[in-house]
Amino acid sequence: MSQTIDIEVVYGLPHKQVLLSLKVPEGTSIEQCIKLSGIVKHFPEIVPSEAVVGIFSKPSKLDTIVQQGDRIEIYRPLIADPKEMRKLRAERAKKQADTK
């Protein structure tokens, strides 16, 4: 009989966040944990086989085997490229400085 471990699966939107705690068999993958957690009932837009995930903010692959106490984080797609946003802010700041 296999042992179970405690893990968490989390996902959030600006207006709603969900953290689910569950027990899974040792040897369970991140993708399996997402399916077992039932988080898709809260967020139907999550596709477990395509999710971008991490464990405690460290990017991970869906086939990664979870360990006792892991927190699986499901990430939302970026709306804007962070590098492009920094570039735009720098350009705006330069324009403001030039007009003073």
Side-chain angles (χ1 to χ4, degrees), residues 5 23 30 41-42 59 64 67 78 90 95:
I5 57 173
K23 291 184 179 296
I30 289 177
K41 292 175 190 168
H42 299 273
T64 299
Q67 304 296 317
L78 292 176
K95 285 179 185 177

Side-chain angles (χ1 to χ4, degrees), residues 9-87:
V9 176
V10 298
Y11 183 75
L13 298 172
H15 63 282
K16 178 181 178 185
Q17 300 80 40
V18 172
L19 182 150
L20 301 170
S21 298
L22 62 148
K23 291 184 179 296
V24 298
E26 285 183 331
T28 303
S29 71
I30 289 177
E31 182 178 354
Q32 291 168 322
C33 290
I34 293 169
K35 291 175 183 176
L36 290 170
S37 74
I39 200 159
V40 174
K41 292 175 190 168
H42 299 273
F43 301 101
E45 67 271 19
I46 295 172
V47 179
S49 63
E50 298 174 9
V52 178
V53 298
I55 295 176
F56 290 116
S57 301
K58 181 181 176 210
S60 302
K61 295 182 179 187
L62 289 167
D63 61 357
T64 299
I65 301 302
V66 296
Q67 304 296 317
Q68 170 64 33
D70 280 352
R71 182 183 67 219
I72 299 166
E73 300 161 344
I74 304 169
Y75 303 125
R76 291 180 281 142
L78 292 176
I79 294 171
D81 177 21
K83 289 180 184 178
E84 188 62 31
M85 295 306 295
R86 281 193 296 276
K87 183 178 168 184

